[in-house]
Amino acid sequence: SIARAERMRADSIARADSLARIEQARNDSIARANQMRQDSIARADSIARAAQMRADSIARADSIRRAEELARRPRFHFGVGGGVTLPVGDYKDSFETIGYNAMVPIGVEWPNRVLGLRANLSWNRLRGKDVTVANPLGGTITVNGGNLDIYGAMADLTLNFPFGTTGGSSFYALGGGGLNYLHPTASGSKNESKGAVEGGAGFNFGAANLALFLEGKYVYVFGTGGTDANGNKIGKLSYIP
């Protein structure tokens, strides 16, 4: 009887150990399944990150390619401007120190924004001074010498020195020639078309699609000269718009 009880106790312990091993095996299986699930999620995340990195790399390559294509294309521009006009040389004695102007530049720049061509349509007004002249009836009288309106159509070569991003700010120099149509308002004066040359420099400030510019030029007009209201000989017309 004692032996049977001992065997029963041993069998019970064996069964308990077996159940414990089964439970441990079950827990181990669950742990392995969870680990495999986590490994699968990690692999999926790694694949997603690799796919995103590849997409980002392609996007960067496309962006660089588009920027390079834009840099190779000619860039056209159109603008409006205005400011003061200063007569120089002999003409500064016949006109007020400061006149005014308006201009419309239309141009194109080649790849890398270094060389370009520009057409300038402009209007300048030099304001006549009041001068004292002899009165045929005796004494003197004061008369206005009349204004000089100058309508210009010029073509310039531009040389640009960018110091910003593509299409951004730059310093530039320009030079060229064309025609000036002279329209004096003084009585008895006649209109004339004359050849002219110009040179100057300026700054562009801004971005690709919108910019401000500050520019100065010297314009020399051929075939001009004559006498002022006092009969004094004056030289060739030149001005700074």
Side-chain angles (χ1 to χ4, degrees):
S1 177
I2 293 172
R4 283 197 300 274
E6 186 64 27
R7 281 196 300 274
M8 290 175 64
R9 178 175 176 276
D11 291 343
S12 177
I13 292 170
R15 283 194 297 275
D17 289 343
S18 178
L19 290 173
R21 286 193 295 273
I22 291 171
E23 183 65 21
Q24 183 62 44
R26 177 175 173 275
N27 290 337
D28 291 345
S29 178
I30 291 172
R32 284 194 298 271
N34 287 336
Q35 185 61 47
M36 291 174 65
R37 178 174 174 274
Q38 291 175 359
D39 291 343
S40 178
I41 292 172
R43 283 194 296 274
D45 288 344
S46 179
I47 292 171
R49 285 195 298 271
Q52 184 61 47
M53 290 175 65
R54 179 175 179 274
D56 291 344
S57 178
I58 292 172
R60 284 193 296 271
D62 287 344
S63 178
I64 293 171
R65 178 178 54 80
R66 286 194 297 270
E68 290 175 346
E69 289 177 354
L70 288 174
R72 288 193 294 268
R73 295 177 184 174
R75 187 172 72 97
F76 295 90
H77 59 86
F78 167 86
V80 292
V84 300
T85 299
L86 310 177
V88 294
D90 294 327
Y91 272 76
K92 71 178 183 297
D93 297 324
S94 300
F95 297 97
E96 296 290 348
T97 303
I98 296 177
Y100 38 87
N101 67 70
M103 63 180 296
V104 177
I106 305 169
V108 58
E109 294 173 356
W110 272 272
N112 299 319
R113 300 173 55 214
V114 176
L115 291 177
L117 287 176
R118 196 176 83 176
N120 294 302
L121 304 178
S122 64
W123 166 74
N124 293 269
R125 168 163 287 184
L126 302 180
R127 299 180 299 129
K129 286 183 176 181
D130 290 334
V131 295
T132 300
V133 298
N135 186 343
L137 301 178
T140 60
I141 58 174
T142 299
V143 298
N144 186 277
N147 300 324
L148 175 61
D149 290 329
I150 307 170
Y151 300 91
M154 309 287 280
D156 293 319
L157 178 67
T158 60
L159 183 61
N160 300 283
F161 303 92
F163 54 85
T165 57
T166 301
S169 301
S170 66
F171 167 79
Y172 62 91
L174 60 85
L179 289 175
N180 275 196
Y181 180 73
L182 311 181
H183 173 62
T185 61
S187 176
S189 300
K190 63 177 182 178
N191 301 332
E192 296 179 297
S193 293
K194 300 293 184 180
V197 293
E198 65 180 8
F203 287 96
N204 278 320
F205 306 93
N209 296 321
L210 181 64
L212 299 176
F213 69 95
L214 178 64
E215 180 178 288
K217 296 185 294 184
Y218 174 82
V219 183
Y220 179 86
V221 183
F222 296 105
T224 55
T227 57
D228 61 16
N230 289 317
N232 299 315
K233 185 176 180 181
I234 56 177
K236 303 296 184 180
L237 171 63
S238 55
Y239 57 96
I240 299 175

